[in-house]
Amino acid sequence: MILGLPASTFTLIHVILSLVGIVSGLVVLAGLIGAKRLPGWTALFLATTILTSVTGFGFPFDKLLPSHIFGIISLVVLAIALLALYAFHLAGHWRWIYVASAVIALYLNSFVGVVQAFQKLGPLHALAPTQSEPPFAIAQVVVLAIFIALGILAAIKFRPAAMRFA
């Protein structure tokens, strides 16, 4: 039992949150590249990605694991994205800070997704059973390169006026 839920149910909720975070994050990233704000998708992305990191700490553990370090980094990056977007309204340098932090948060969630895919999916696991084999490293480098390129493109293309809230 985790937080009063069977471990399998808690895991399913965590996985669904992660997948929704990745998909909505990709929509948000496409919006950034297209110079569109997409506030509903953005809120969904930020909320589910935060919940993914938070629920990751709900699993039993005896020591600090790499997944916890990723979760901590993700939460810090997401806090910066929230500040840039909702407190500083993307004004001035907060625009690129928001883009960078949102893309980094999406990348971290995707990185963990690749790790999980190599652990759980038979054909990928067979290619890299210990995740120290070249196919795993190649997959992670490709994912990183894609996110760097898309992040730079988003920072260049996403240039909205500062948001005003009444």
Side-chain angles (χ1 to χ4, degrees):
M1 297 286 279
I2 303 172
L3 298 176
L5 296 171
S8 60
T9 302
F10 186 83
T11 301
L12 179 62
I13 291 168
H14 176 75
V15 169
I16 290 170
L17 287 168
S18 179
L19 293 174
V20 171
I22 291 169
V23 171
S24 60
L26 291 172
V27 171
V28 169
L29 180 55
L32 295 174
I33 292 168
K36 297 176 186 154
R37 283 204 185 112
L38 306 177
W41 283 102
T42 299
L44 179 65
F45 161 64
L46 293 171
T48 54
T49 305
I50 289 167
L51 288 170
T52 296
S53 292
V54 170
T55 57
F57 290 100
F59 294 99
F61 62 95
D62 296 326
K63 62 180 181 170
L64 189 66
L65 300 170
S67 58
H68 299 122
I69 294 168
F70 265 72
I72 291 166
I73 294 169
S74 182
L75 288 170
V76 169
V77 168
L78 287 160
I80 294 168
L82 289 169
L83 281 170
L85 181 61
Y86 296 117
F88 298 109
H89 312 294
L90 305 177
H93 62 277
W94 290 103
R95 177 196 57 82
W96 71 262
I97 291 171
Y98 166 71
V99 171
S101 58
V103 172
I104 291 167
L106 177 57
Y107 165 72
L108 291 173
N109 205 3
S110 300
F111 178 94
V112 173
V114 172
V115 169
Q116 291 296 315
F118 272 89
Q119 287 178 348
K120 309 287 188 214
L121 300 177
L124 291 177
H125 184 73
L127 288 173
T130 66
Q131 296 186 352
S132 61
E133 296 80 8
F136 178 77
I138 291 167
Q140 290 295 17
V141 168
V142 168
V143 170
L144 176 61
I146 289 168
F147 274 96
I148 289 171
L150 293 176
I152 291 169
L153 187 59
I156 292 168
K157 297 279 191 174
F158 186 64
R159 297 202 171 270
M163 298 181 344
R164 304 281 183 242
F165 294 102

